[in-house]
Amino acid sequence: MNTARAIRWLTHAALRRLMREGLVIRSLVFPIALTAGTHVVTLSLLVLTSPGNEIAIPKGSFDQELLSTLEQKGLKPLESTNVRKEVIDRRVKAGLHGRTVFSLGPLPEATLLESYLRRKSPESWQVNALVEPPRASEIPGAGRLIARLLSAIYALYGVVIGAGMIARDRDDGTLHAEFLLPIPRAAIGASRWLGASIALCASQLPALLLWDALIGIPNLPQTLGHGAAASLASTAIGIAFIGGAGVKAGFSARLAGGLTLNFSLYVLGRMIPGLAPFLPVASLGSSEAPWGPLAAALLMAGAAILLFQRVNGR
Amino acid sequence: MEMSGRKGVFLPFLLAGLLIPAASVSVDSLFDFPRPPVRISGEIPPEIANLPTVTIVETGPAHVHFSRDESGVLTLTGRWIPEEFRSVLDEGNPNPVHQENLSSEVPLPERSLLLALIASSVLSGAVAESLPGERSRRTLETLLAAAITRWELIVGKWAAWAGLGAGAATTAALVAVLLGRQAAGPWLLALPLVPACTVALGMFLVRSSSDLIGGSAVAIRVLPALLSVAGVSAWVLGRVDPHLGAALPLGGALLAAGGLWDDWTAILLALGSTGGTTLGLLAITARDVGNYQSRTSFLSSQWRQGLLALAIGGFAWGIPVIAPALWAMAGNPGFAASLSLESAQYAGALVLLAATATLHLQGQPAVGGSTTRRHYAAALLLSPALNALLRLPSTGTHFALERAWEAIQPGLLPSCLLVAVAQELFFRGWVQRNTHGWVGIGISTIVLFPHQWLGGWIFSASLALLTARAGSIGPAMVAHLFAMVPNEMPIWLVLFMTLPAMLLVMPPKGQPDPQL
C-alpha cells in the first residue's frame, strides 16, 4: 500500500474516532465557550446595570455653556433635587453640585464636568477632558493575555490527546490491527500526530479569531502561528511520552511527565524571553515571526514518530 | 454510613482548611495591590514630577499630558485626573473643585458569601457520588427494600451532607464574627440554607445517573454554573427591588448569606423561597430515585437537532459578529467600531465549518448525493437575485444590525467566500438534512439576517428549495458563491433571469416533487 495514502486514511480514521468521543468534543469546545460566554454575559450585565448617558445637575442650575459641553460629547442633563443620590443609585454616571463632581469611579464624564467647572474659574489650572473611551489597539494587553492562555490550554490538551489516542488504541487493539498493515509503523504514529494536530488547530484557530473579533489580539498572524506551533509540539510530546503504555497500565505517570515538560517549556518562555524565537510553547505570546517554533515543532514531531516506531518494533 | 471512609475524614479537613482562612484573613491586606504608576508627559510642574506615584514618559501614550497656553495657565489633558494631582495643584485654594468617587457605594455582598460558596462547592463531588455510588455498587436496591421509605432515604443522605456544609459554614461565620471581620446580622440565618439547598439540588441532578463518572460529570459541571447564575441573577433583580432578588430560589439565599440585605422581609423571602425549593427538590428526588424506567426526552429528535443547530449557528455568528455591539451599548462605540469584522467573519465561518465537520464525522452527513447540470444552471441564473437580497438595506439602525448586515455583504475577499461556503455546508448541508427543511430556513433567517428577516427568509428558502430539488448542496453553494460577486445589474434583468431558474428547478414531468 502507498504509505502516503495509508497515512491519509489512517489520519481520517483517527480523526473520526477522536470526534466521536464526547469528552474530547466537550474539552475542545469548553475553553472558547466558557471564556467567550463569560465575556458576553459580563458585557451584557454591564449594559443592563450601567447608567445611561445622562449627567445629573441640580434643579434650576442649568446654563447654556454646560448644555453645549454635554451635547458635544453626546451626553444629556438630568435635573435632580439630590444629585449625589442619582449617582449612588447608578441612574447617572456622574453629577455636579456646586464645585463638587460626583462620579462612579475615575470616569471621563467626571473629568468633563471638572473641565466645565474650571473654565468658570480662569485663575485655576484647567482640564481638557478626553471623553472618547480607548479603542482596541490602545489596550492590547487583554487580548494578548487571553490569546496566550487559550493557546497554553490547547497545548495541554495536545499532550493529553496525543498520549490518550495511542494508549486507547493500544488497549482496544486498534493499534495492533494496524501493525498488520504492510506499511512502516512510523506511518501509524504519523497518522495519530496528524489527526490530533488537525483537531487541535481546527479548534484553536476559530477560538483565537473569535477573541480577535471580541476584544482585538495584537499581532494576530504571529499569535496564530505560535499557537499552531504549540499544538503541533505538544501533541508530539504526548506521543513521545506515552511510549509503550496503555490507558490501564502506566498512563498516569507518562502523562504527568508529558504535561510537566509542556508546562516547563511554557514557564521557560516566561522566564527567558530569548528562547521564544526557537522553542514552541515557550514562544506563546511572542510577537516574533513563528517560523522558528514551527520548524522546531515539526522536528519534535519527527522525533516523536521515530520514537513511536522504535518502541513499537519496526 | 454516608460519611464513612476516607471522604468522611478528608472533606471536613478540606472544608476547615478553606473556610478558616476565608473567615479570618484580613481582606485589606490581601487586596492591597500596588497601584501602577500614572504616566505623565509635557510641561510637568516640579511638585507633580516629585510625586512617588508618577512616571514621566517622553514618548508613547500618557495618562495625563501637561501643557501651558500663552498666558501661562496650566492645562491637564486626559481621561481622568488623579486625586493627588488635584491636592498638589489646588494647595492653598480655599474653594477648590473636587471629585467625590461614589463607586464604592454600590452594594456588594460581604465575606460570608465566600463562606457559603466554599461550603457548597466542596460538597459537590461527594453529593455527586451519593446516589450514583449506591447504584453502581448495587446497594440502592437493598436500601429501598429495607424498612425505610424513599423519602427517609433521601432526607437521610441529604441531612448528612447538608449538615456538614451548613455546620462548617456557620462555624466559619462565627469565627469571622468573633475576629471582628464581619458584624453579626440576619445573614447568619440564610448562610446554612445555601449548602443545604445546593446539596438538594446536587442530589436532584444526579438522581438518574447510573454511575460515578456520569454523576460527577453532571454535578461538577452544572452545580457551580447554577450557583453563579442564581447569584448574579438575584443581584441584578435585587438592584431593581431587593424583594425580587430575595425571592429567587438559591440566588436570594446566597446574597442574603452575603449580608447584602438587612431588611427582614427580604431575608424571610430568601429563606422561604430557598427552603421551599429545597423541600421540592428532595420530594422529586425521592419520587424518582427507585424509578428505573428510562425517561424519554420531552423533545423529539428533530427538535433537539433543531435546537442544536440554533445553538451552533447562534454561537458561531452571534458571538463574533453581533456581540461586539455590546461594547457600544456599554458606552464605548469607538471600541466596538475598531474591532475587526474580517476576523469575525473568519471566526464565524470556521466555527460553522468545524461543527459541520465534527457532526459529519459523527455520522450525521452534511454532503452527498448527485445533481444535474440544469440545477447548476439554475443556480447561476438565481445568483443575481440572491445578490440583490443580500444587499437589501437593514430594517434598523442599531449598531448590531448594521454589523450583521455588513458581515454578509457580497465581496471577493477570502473571508466573504469562506462565509458563503461555511453557511451552505452548515445550513443547507447539515441542518437541512438532519432537521425539517423549514426549520433550517427559520434558523438560517434568525441567525444570519436579524437585520432583514423578510429578505433573509426569501434568500434561505430559495437556497433550501434549490438544495431539495437538486438533491445535493452543490448548486446552492454555487449560487451563494456567485451571489457574493459584487454587481449592479438592473432589477428587470435580475427578475428576467430568475424566471428560467425557477423553470429549471421544476421536476421533470412525471417525476415526484422533492419536498423540503
Side-chain angles (χ1 to χ4, degrees), chain A residues 166-248:
Chain A
I166 304 278
R168 182 202 56 190
D169 287 354
R170 179 170 284 120
D171 279 9
D172 68 15
T174 312
L175 216 50
H176 294 286
E178 288 179 11
F179 287 158
L180 298 175
L181 295 171
I183 50 170
R185 293 191 177 180
I188 296 168
S191 69
R192 297 303 189 282
W193 174 75
L194 270 174
S197 299
I198 290 170
L200 275 174
C201 291
S203 42
Q204 191 184 10
L205 180 64
L208 292 175
L209 284 166
L210 197 141
W211 270 104
D212 185 48
L214 284 174
I215 57 170
I217 294 175
N219 308 314
L220 183 67
Q222 287 87 337
T223 306
L224 294 176
H226 289 297
S231 291
L232 301 180
S234 57
T235 312
I237 291 173
I239 291 175
F241 265 76
I242 196 65
V247 175
K248 290 172 190 158

Side-chain angles (χ1 to χ4, degrees), chain A residues 114-121 124-126, chain B residues 90 97:
Chain A
E114 186 175 346
S115 76
Y116 159 75
L117 285 179
R118 288 194 184 275
R119 264 203 310 277
K120 292 179 95 177
S121 321
S124 156
W125 53 280
Q126 299 294 305
Chain B
D90 281 332
V97 173

Side-chain angles (χ1 to χ4, degrees), chain A residues 19-20 25 84 90 99-103 105 108 111 114 118 125-126 128 130 132-134 136 212 214, chain B residues 74 76-80 86 90 95 98-102 232 236 239 327 332 338-339 343 358 361-362:
Chain A
M19 289 299 107
R20 287 186 175 180
I25 300 284
R84 196 171 191 278
R90 296 176 74 87
R99 291 178 67 79
T100 303
V101 175
F102 300 106
S103 75
T111 313
E114 186 175 346
R118 288 194 184 275
W125 53 280
Q126 299 294 305
N128 180 18
L130 297 177
E132 273 290 303
D212 185 48
L214 284 174
Chain B
L74 182 68
L76 278 64
T77 304
R79 291 195 173 94
W80 52 275
R86 244 176 245 115
D90 281 332
N95 187 22
H98 76 278
Q99 280 200 27
E100 195 176 333
N101 183 355
L102 300 173
V232 172
V236 173
R239 297 281 303 149
W327 286 111
N332 195 345
S338 67
L339 292 170
S343 285
T358 304
L361 288 170
Q362 287 179 346

Side-chain angles (χ1 to χ4, degrees), chain B residues 384 391 487-497:
Chain B
R391 288 186 291 116
N487 75 58
E488 295 294 331
M489 221 176 258
I491 191 70
W492 63 266
L493 186 58
V494 170
L495 291 173
F496 183 74
M497 287 171 76

Side-chain angles (χ1 to χ4, degrees), chain B residues 201-479:
Chain B
L201 184 60
M203 290 175 70
F204 166 80
L205 288 172
V206 300
R207 71 196 188 285
S208 303
S209 300
S210 54
D211 58 52
L212 285 175
I213 295 173
S216 307
V218 171
I220 291 171
R221 269 206 310 263
V222 178
L223 268 183
L226 276 177
L227 265 172
S228 319
V229 170
V232 172
S233 308
W235 188 80
V236 173
L237 288 173
R239 297 281 303 149
V240 180
D241 185 339
H243 299 132
L244 210 57
L248 193 76
L250 191 57
L254 193 61
L255 293 193
L260 193 66
W261 304 304
D262 285 332
D263 173 15
W264 273 100
T265 320
I267 299 286
L268 289 175
L269 258 175
L271 292 177
S273 68
T274 305
T277 306
T278 307
L279 286 176
L281 290 169
L282 289 174
I284 298 171
T285 310
R287 186 196 68 190
D288 291 347
V289 70
N291 187 358
Y292 283 91
Q293 284 175 345
S294 61
R295 280 195 300 277
T296 52
S297 171
F298 65 96
L299 287 174
S300 71
S301 146
Q302 212 166 56
W303 271 102
R304 267 184 283 136
Q305 296 284 64
L307 285 178
L308 178 66
L310 187 62
I312 294 173
F315 182 86
W317 213 242
I319 299 269
V321 175
I322 312 276
L326 288 167
W327 286 111
M329 292 160 75
N332 195 345
F335 190 93
S338 67
L339 292 170
S340 160
L341 187 67
E342 200 183 356
S343 285
Q345 288 177 308
Y346 275 124
L350 287 172
V351 171
L352 286 181
L353 283 177
T356 312
T358 304
L359 292 161
H360 188 83
L361 288 170
Q362 287 179 346
Q364 299 178 42
V367 290
S370 59
T371 187
T372 58
R373 280 183 201 161
R374 71 189 172 91
H375 288 114
Y376 282 108
L380 288 175
L381 289 167
L382 194 63
S383 57
L386 296 176
N387 176 285
L389 286 170
L390 285 178
R391 288 186 291 116
L392 279 178
S394 175
T395 49
T397 53
H398 193 275
F399 184 82
L401 296 182
E402 284 175 6
R403 214 173 138 83
W405 182 80
E406 250 181 89
I408 56 160
Q409 279 309 287
L412 289 175
L413 289 172
S415 60
C416 299
L417 300 178
L418 191 68
V419 161
V421 171
Q423 288 178 357
E424 287 316 307
L425 278 169
F426 184 72
F427 290 109
R428 256 62 68 183
W430 183 77
V431 180
Q432 190 161 332
R433 271 167 188 259
N434 294 281
T435 65
H436 197 280
W438 293 107
V439 175
I441 295 170
I443 293 171
S444 162
T445 309
I446 293 168
V447 169
L448 303 176
F449 297 90
H451 59 283
Q452 177 51 267
W453 281 2
L454 180 63
W457 189 87
I458 299 172
F459 182 91
S460 307
S462 310
L463 289 173
L465 198 67
L466 184 61
T467 304
R469 292 275 164 86
S472 104
I473 59 162
M477 199 177 281
V478 167

Side-chain angles (χ1 to χ4, degrees), chain A residues 53-102:
Chain A
N53 58 349
E54 286 181 321
I55 297 294
I57 55 168
K59 255 197 169 127
S61 69
F62 204 70
D63 76 39
Q64 197 53 43
E65 192 193 342
L66 177 60
L67 182 67
S68 65
T69 304
L70 296 180
E71 271 180 352
Q72 274 171 14
K73 306 294 178 185
L75 299 166
K76 290 181 204 155
L78 172 80
E79 288 193 286
S80 169
T81 49
N82 191 343
V83 171
R84 196 171 191 278
K85 191 169 183 315
E86 298 289 348
V87 180
I88 291 174
D89 291 347
R90 296 176 74 87
R91 276 193 281 275
V92 294
K93 280 181 185 170
L96 187 69
H97 191 266
R99 291 178 67 79
T100 303
V101 175
F102 300 106

Side-chain angles (χ1 to χ4, degrees), chain B residues 153-206:
Chain B
L153 171 70
I154 294 303
V155 171
K157 282 185 172 293
W158 169 78
W161 295 116
L164 175 65
T170 311
T171 312
L174 291 175
V175 170
V177 170
L178 285 175
L179 291 176
R181 303 286 181 226
Q182 189 171 341
W187 59 270
L188 278 165
L189 287 177
L191 185 64
L193 206 56
V194 178
C197 185
T198 311
V199 170
L201 184 60
M203 290 175 70
F204 166 80
L205 288 172
V206 300

